[in-house]
Every structure is written in C-alpha cells, then in structure tokens.
C-alpha cells in the first residue's frame, strides 16, 4: 500500500483524504498492523488504478 502511495507522489495525509479514511487507519494498513476490508481494497484499486488481484498480491506488476 505504501508503495502505491509513494509512486503516485502522495503524502499519507493526501492518500487518506482520497481513500476517505483516517490517516491512522492508513498507517495501520501500510505497516501491516491491520488488514484491508473488501471495501477498502476496492477503493485502493479504484484510486490507484490497479486491479483487485494486484491489491491481493496475486499479480506482481501493474501500472
């Protein structure tokens, strides 16, 4: 998750706004302390323009 944010040039705060979540929640997701819900995975896929398979780790490279 952090990788997608970084390659898009977003701060954690900017990404949290785009993803409609608290910055603390995004930090938990990026550090692996908590897992994604299906709804969050869909938001990630839509906002970062990647597939759900990529978000789930089933596909390695996608841009």
């Amino acid at each position: 998750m952090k990788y997608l944010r970084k390659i898009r040039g977003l701060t954690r705060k900017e990404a949290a706004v785009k993803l409609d979540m608290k910055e603390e929640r995004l930090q938990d997701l990026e550090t692996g302390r908590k897992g994604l819900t299906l709804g969050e995975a869909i938001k990630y896929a839509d906002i970062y323009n990647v597939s759900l398979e990529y978000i789930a780790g089933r596909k390695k490279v996608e841009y």
Side-chain angles (χ1 to χ4, degrees):
M1 303 299 114
K2 185 176 182 178
Y3 173 74
L4 289 173
R5 176 175 62 80
K6 291 285 190 175
I7 64 170
R8 299 302 194 278
L10 297 171
T11 65
R12 187 175 286 139
K13 186 174 187 170
E14 292 168 333
V17 169
K18 283 183 170 280
L19 292 163
D20 191 30
M21 65 177 60
K22 292 184 179 184
E23 196 172 340
E24 293 81 13
R25 173 66 178 150
L26 182 56
Q27 183 175 1
D28 287 343
L29 294 172
E30 288 185 352
T31 59
R33 282 190 288 243
K34 300 204 176 164
L36 282 169
T37 66
L38 178 57
E40 289 168 337
I42 291 168
K43 281 183 190 179
Y44 262 95
D46 289 345
I47 287 173
Y48 291 119
N49 197 32
V50 294
S51 67
L52 284 173
E53 289 84 6
Y54 179 84
I55 297 295
R58 296 185 67 174
K59 200 170 188 182
K60 295 293 179 201
V61 178
E62 183 176 318
Y63 293 100

